[in-house]
């Protein structure tokens, strides 16, 4: 059974940085679309970064230029988050899938449990 485990969340002040990591068992990242998604209380889930099998990345305008997704190893996915804002506060999920590689998350087959990111003003 594939299991994704996120780490690296925490509390920071606005303008600070955090790096999230996602490790997986029984899954080789080069074979999948990988992504980071977030959900804040009372809001719908949104994609913040995806990386396709060929390394192509995609970000929404809200985080473009501040967040960077990369594969740190064959089994570790990372998200570097800089210039954090209070509106970035959310539960962040790692996901993997062999379907459509987009920010909607519809192509993702596997999801982690999430790691909390809180940004104070």
């Amino acid at each position: 059974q594939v299991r994704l485990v996120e780490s690296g969340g925490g509390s920071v002040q606005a303008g600070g940085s955090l790096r999230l990591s996602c490790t997986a068992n029984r899954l080789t990242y080069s074979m999948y679309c990988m992504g980071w998604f977030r959900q804040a209380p009372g809001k719908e889930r949104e994609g913040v970064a995806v990386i396709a099998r060929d390394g192509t990345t995609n970000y929404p305008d809200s985080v473009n230029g501040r967040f960077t997704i990369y594969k740190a190893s064959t089994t570790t996915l990372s998200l570097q988050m800089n210039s954090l804002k209070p509106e970035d506060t959310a539960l962040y999920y790692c996901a993997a899938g062999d379907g459509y590689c987009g920010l909607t998350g519809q192509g993702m087959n596997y999801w982690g449990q999430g790691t909390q990111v809180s940004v104070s003003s």
Side-chain angles (χ1 to χ4, degrees):
Q1 182 178 357
V2 173
R3 191 164 71 102
L4 303 177
V5 180
E6 302 94 338
S7 62
S11 298
V12 296
Q13 290 188 328
S17 298
L18 283 173
R19 181 181 300 160
L20 306 183
S21 293
C22 174
T23 57
N25 66 331
R26 302 189 179 187
L27 188 151
T28 302
Y29 285 1
S30 62
M31 298 176 64
Y32 290 84
C33 167
M34 305 293 302
W36 288 96
F37 299 79
R38 68 186 181 188
Q39 187 165 21
K43 294 187 177 181
E44 292 187 354
R45 184 188 70 200
E46 64 171 332
V48 296
V50 293
I51 182 166
R53 297 172 190 79
D54 65 359
T56 303
T57 58
N58 192 21
Y59 307 90
D61 290 343
S62 59
V63 308
N64 196 26
R66 300 190 297 121
F67 290 11
T68 303
I69 186 172
Y70 62 99
K71 298 178 182 178
S73 73
T74 57
T75 57
T76 302
L77 179 74
S78 294
L79 182 70
Q80 179 66 41
M81 305 186 295
N82 299 326
S83 302
L84 284 162
K85 304 176 180 180
E87 51 262 45
D88 294 320
T89 295
L91 188 63
Y92 283 70
Y93 299 91
C94 171
D98 56 9
Y100 172 68
C101 194
L103 292 170
T104 63
Q106 292 178 336
M108 300 300 180
N109 306 112
Y110 308 105
W111 294 83
Q113 294 297 307
T115 184
Q116 180 67 39
V117 172
S118 299
V119 185
S120 60
S121 58

